[in-house]
Amino acid sequence: MGRREKELDPAEGPVQHLAHELRQLRDAAGSPTYRELAHRAGYSAPTLSEAAAGRRLPSLSVTLAYVRACGGDEEEWAQRWHAAADSPARQNAHADDDASPYRGLSRYGTSDRHLFFGRQPEVERLAHMIGEHRFAALVGASGSGKSSLLRAGLVTELHDGTHEFQGGPGDVHICTPGPDPVAALRPLLALPGQGGRDTVLLVDQFEELFTLCQDPQERREFIELLLTARDETSHLRALIAVRADFYGLCADHQALAEAMSKAHLLLSPMAPQRLREAIVGPARQAGLLVERAVTDQILGEVTDEPGGLPLMSHTLLEVWRRRTGRRLTLAAYEAIGGVRGAIAHTAESVFAGLGPEQADTARAMLLRLVSPGDGAPDTRRPVSLAELQADEVRAEVLERLASARLLTIHDDSVELAHEALIAEWPRLNRWVDEERERLHLHRRLTEAARTWQALGEDPGALYRGILLSAARAEFTTAGDQPSTALNAVEARFLTAGIAEQDRAAAEAARTARRIQLLMTLLAVLVASGLTIWLMWFVNREHP
């Protein structure tokens, strides 16, 4: 017999009420084990158990599978599920999730200064460095907290007015290079200094210049524009934040390497005492208590880990979701598998709750958000919402992943909440390894299709030759129908390329037939001419 389920108070909220009713339905069905239900329902035992745990609303498909396995009325339970989903109390509870003092895999933002602990010495050093130098760099491993340090730490530090240079800092702007870095940078360079004060430009995720920008000339232009900050007549001061494993690529550009060597901060892992501040400080701000055993366990797993901060923050978010009153408990920490198991636990819980069509959509969506490394680590790839083309199924999957904080949605784009998801979720890591070559082809196809669209769908920008043959073999089905992995623009681009290739092949075939016909006619004419000449010659010799 399995472990006894934790008691539920159905009056606590609509999610708990629905879970309580699911348990009653199971009891009425003879209390089958969750292993038995899994065989009947087509979902794993942990997924079905989680559906009746009352911690969060299960998906409709999981709920109906649970009901079907217990012999319940699916139509009636669908109504109950919608009532729970649409309940104002449930909406308030979901909104309360945003009040967590921990940001999980997401970065801390400029409004999170009161929750940002443990990096004050680095914040002060960066602010001083920008005051002393017109160009500087922040270098650190993936997961060392660079983005949070810029937004929740440095921006506030510069705005408080204690660091004076050129009349004190003026506006502070943050950008990322993206696939079109020059287009992102030019408007910011055109901004004038305010009242004789310098504008501070923070370029986060500088490595996107190498992972997302495919044009070497545009990379050089971006770097040259950025380095104008070194000019004493400029009203610009710039700081770039770059992953340590891309430092060598920065060194390939001599002027950039020289500028970085004069002023840079190498971000090291946080010392145990400062990690403790980052754990208990946000909880204290929210009126919560972290059990000492939880803090000790996390310190044991994260100390001296260069990329451990997002793992720690995600673990604390999951423990917070399972808090008991005001306490973050060791029992909750162990339930999610500790630091190393937390991300996989969250991601697998979400994925297990998806139906077959949703699971296929999630796989395609997540792979589109990864830029596979070519002799370098895999990185996340921000994409526009337009590229994802969020129909009803995609929109629901997107909402599920974002609600679990596995994805971050901005105004018009979406990205993985952190690259730690690629490394720490075995399923996604396996998908990327299995599809690595195909992903490289897809990324090139995406960029080519975007260029083709920007050029007004100019036929001259279509794939030809080997590129078209490779894309045709990989991304079309029988009858040359585009794969469902492609969005509408990519599908049109590939279809147009195939049509152009087929048209050119047909034209070449027609030309070959014409040439063959002409050669045949010429041969007939030559043969006829020779015959006539021979007859004339014979008649002349023998009149």
Side-chain angles (χ1 to χ4, degrees):
M1 185 174 179
R3 291 185 303 175
R4 181 180 178 83
E5 291 180 301
K6 183 180 177 180
E7 291 295 329
L8 271 178
D9 180 3
E12 188 176 339
V15 172
Q16 292 75 19
H17 183 74
L18 180 68
H20 180 72
E21 291 183 322
L22 286 172
R23 292 184 183 184
Q24 289 183 320
L25 178 67
R26 176 170 166 246
D27 290 342
S31 300
T33 65
Y34 280 111
R35 187 183 296 275
E36 292 176 57
L37 289 184
H39 286 301
R40 303 177 196 171
Y43 284 90
S44 68
T47 297
L48 297 173
S49 174
E50 181 68 20
R55 284 188 283 266
R56 64 186 68 182
L57 184 70
S59 70
L60 178 60
S61 57
V62 169
T63 302
L64 294 183
Y66 188 112
V67 169
R68 187 165 56 251
C70 293
D73 184 331
E74 292 185 48
E75 184 176 347
E76 173 192 345
W77 280 88
Q79 294 176 358
R80 294 189 189 189
W81 184 90
H82 283 294
D86 297 337
S87 167
R90 191 248 168 182
Q91 298 300 329
N92 290 337
H94 183 74
D96 181 59
D97 193 46
D98 294 332
S100 167
Y102 305 104
R103 293 294 172 259
L105 294 176
S106 301
R107 63 185 174 228
Y108 284 80
T110 53
S111 61
D112 296 323
R113 184 68 180 93
H114 64 296
L115 300 174
F116 188 66
F117 288 85
R119 284 293 196 189
Q120 189 57 30
E122 287 86 353
V123 169
E124 293 176 358
R125 285 182 62 189
L126 279 180
H128 178 75
M129 195 162 59
I130 293 177
E132 291 291 317
H133 303 272
R134 305 195 69 85
F135 184 92
L138 172 65
V139 182
S142 175
S144 58
K146 298 181 297 297
S147 295
S148 296
L149 177 57
L150 293 184
R151 289 167 174 79
L154 183 58
V155 170
T156 304
E157 188 77 10
L158 293 176
H159 279 157
D160 71 8
T162 60
H163 296 271
E164 297 291 333
F165 51 87
Q166 192 76 20
D171 292 334
V172 180
H173 298 279
I174 303 177
C175 72
T176 56
D180 299 310
V182 174
L185 184 60
R186 280 195 186 280
L188 297 174
L189 292 178
L191 294 173
Q194 299 294 318
R197 297 178 299 171
D198 286 343
T199 294
V200 178
L201 176 61
L202 308 178
V203 183
D204 193 16
Q205 297 176 41
F206 189 78
E207 61 273 7
E208 288 184 358
L209 188 64
F210 307 105
T211 61
L212 300 184
C213 178
Q214 305 299 314
D215 184 355
Q217 177 58 39
E218 186 167 5
R219 290 177 192 162
R220 285 192 294 271
E221 185 178 354
F222 177 83
I223 291 171
E224 289 168 3
L225 287 171
L226 195 59
L227 291 177
T228 59
R230 295 182 300 170
D231 187 342
E232 291 297 331
T233 63
S234 169
H235 285 288
L236 177 71
R237 291 174 184 265
L239 180 140
I240 64 172
V242 62
R243 269 177 42 177
D245 47 312
F246 285 86
Y247 194 81
L249 291 175
C250 295
D252 290 340
H253 299 264
Q254 184 176 359
L256 177 62
E258 290 176 358
M260 291 177 66
S261 66
K262 292 177 181 177
H264 70 271
L265 172 63
L266 184 60
L267 197 60
S268 60
M270 292 168 66
Q273 184 53 42
R274 290 208 269 148
L275 281 172
R276 189 179 297 275
E277 292 175 21
I279 295 170
V280 302
R284 187 168 56 246
Q285 289 288 322
L288 301 170
L289 297 173
V290 183
E291 289 184 357
R292 179 174 292 275
V294 173
T295 304
D296 292 342
Q297 289 277 0
I298 292 175
L299 289 177
E301 292 199 56
V302 172
T303 299
D304 295 328
E305 287 289 333
L309 291 182
L311 305 182
M312 181 182 82
S313 185
H314 180 76
T315 301
L316 287 164
L317 173 62
E318 289 299 312
V319 173
W320 178 85
R321 285 172 171 163
R322 293 162 176 78
R323 64 194 182 279
T324 301
R326 295 172 51 243
R327 301 183 70 86
L328 276 62
T329 65
L330 181 62
Y333 176 83
E334 292 175 340
I336 61 172
V339 170
R340 291 297 168 188
I343 291 179
H345 181 277
T346 300
E348 281 299 320
S349 295
V350 174
F351 190 77
L354 301 175
E357 183 182 6
Q358 293 172 325
D360 289 342
T361 298
R363 185 180 190 275
M365 182 181 294
L366 288 164
L367 287 175
R368 188 176 279 273
L369 296 172
V370 175
S371 180
D374 190 4
D378 302 325
T379 58
R380 56 183 171 177
R381 173 180 175 262
V383 305
S384 67
L385 290 172
E387 183 179 325
L388 288 182
Q389 294 182 327
D391 56 18
E392 185 175 347
V393 175
R394 289 189 181 94
E396 182 177 354
V397 171
L398 190 62
E399 173 61 26
R400 295 276 193 86
L401 296 172
S403 295
R405 299 199 180 185
L406 300 175
L407 301 184
T408 300
I409 300 176
H410 306 291
D411 291 339
D412 60 353
S413 66
V414 60
E415 62 182 340
L416 296 179
H418 200 278
E419 281 149 3
L421 187 63
I422 305 172
E424 299 297 334
W425 185 17
R427 185 187 296 272
L428 179 56
N429 190 277
R430 184 175 67 251
W431 286 343
V432 173
D433 283 341
E434 291 171 352
E435 299 281 341
R436 188 168 298 278
E437 291 306 315
R438 191 169 191 263
L439 287 175
H440 282 301
L441 284 174
H442 197 171
R443 294 299 161 267
R444 288 195 287 268
L445 176 66
T446 300
E447 291 302 315
R450 197 159 62 92
T451 300
W452 172 72
Q453 185 182 40
L455 293 174
E457 303 190 357
D458 181 358
L462 291 170
Y463 266 178
R464 286 176 172 79
I466 295 175
L467 288 175
L468 180 60
S469 298
R472 190 174 191 172
E474 195 65 56
F475 298 110
T476 61
T477 58
D480 275 336
Q481 293 300 309
S483 163
T484 55
L486 304 183
N487 63 26
V489 175
E490 295 162 353
R492 283 205 321 275
F493 171 77
L494 184 55
T495 300
I498 292 171
E500 179 64 21
Q501 184 186 60
D502 291 347
R503 185 201 63 75
E507 181 63 31
R510 284 194 295 271
T511 300
R513 285 196 297 272
R514 290 193 194 102
I515 293 172
Q516 183 64 42
L517 179 59
L518 288 172
M519 293 296 292
T520 301
L521 289 173
L522 181 61
V524 169
L525 289 172
V526 170
S528 299
L530 284 171
T531 301
I532 294 170
W533 180 83
L534 284 171
M535 291 176 64
W536 172 82
F537 181 79
V538 170
N539 287 333
R540 191 186 69 169
E541 292 293 322
H542 305 282

